[in-house]
Amino acid sequence: EMCIRDREYMGKKKKETDQEKLDEDEFEEGLKYLQKKNVSMSLEIMGISMSTLAGILAMLVTLLILLFAFIFVGIEAFALGGSFGAVINSIIPAAAGLGLGASKESEEEKLEDEKVEESVQTTKKILTSKNLD
């Protein structure tokens, strides 16, 4: 579309023999145009507009700012001196360690369950096999 319009405009300035050939600049310009058109058509097919993308970006940036604010306020709140701050600062790593230990146990249980399930499936295949005589 764009190349045809440009060629018609430039055709007045070029010779008849040169009008059939694309030079490097025209090719690059046409390729950029096709890439932009491809992106815009793909986004349109998916139902996404530039305003939707801008809104999502703004929401994510706001969420990131709030997350950092929460972290810094939490650090400031638990950086108290005295016995209360010491108790809180002791409980936090202990709770994190307990949580980590519980997650490892559940992974081990998952592996055991998978092994049992695999064994059951293998046994079913053996029992239902037609090769048993």
Side-chain angles (χ1 to χ4, degrees):
E1 300 168 8
M2 178 191 71
C3 293
I4 292 172
R5 277 187 271 122
D6 286 346
R7 284 208 152 279
E8 288 173 357
Y9 172 75
M10 294 297 287
K12 296 174 185 173
K13 298 180 180 178
K14 287 188 171 184
K15 297 178 184 176
E16 290 287 326
T17 58
D18 289 342
Q19 197 168 359
E20 295 295 322
K21 298 178 183 175
L22 278 176
D23 63 2
E24 193 173 329
D25 293 333
E26 290 174 334
F27 178 76
E28 287 178 10
E29 189 176 325
L31 187 60
K32 286 179 188 176
Y33 172 77
L34 286 174
Q35 288 173 340
K36 286 181 184 179
K37 187 88 170 170
N38 190 14
V39 168
S40 65
M41 288 177 67
S42 298
L43 289 174
E44 185 179 323
I45 288 171
M46 291 188 302
I48 300 173
S49 66
M50 291 304 285
S51 59
T52 305
L53 289 175
I56 291 171
L57 178 66
M59 181 186 67
L60 290 175
V61 167
T62 304
L63 186 64
L64 185 63
I65 290 170
L66 289 174
L67 179 68
F68 280 132
F70 176 77
I71 290 171
F72 288 128
V73 168
I75 289 171
E76 187 65 33
F78 291 123
L80 301 173
S83 60
F84 178 73
V87 169
I88 295 298
N89 288 333
S90 299
I91 291 174
I92 291 173
L98 289 174
L100 183 61
S103 68
K104 283 186 179 179
E105 288 176 12
S106 64
E107 287 178 13
E108 290 172 0
E109 289 174 9
K110 268 187 184 178
L111 290 175
E112 279 184 29
D113 289 344
E114 288 175 3
K115 287 180 183 177
V116 169
E117 183 67 30
E118 185 179 323
S119 298
V120 169
Q121 293 299 328
T122 304
T123 306
K124 280 183 181 179
K125 286 179 183 177
I126 291 171
L127 291 175
T128 58
S129 175
K130 294 181 180 180
N131 293 336
L132 289 176
D133 290 326

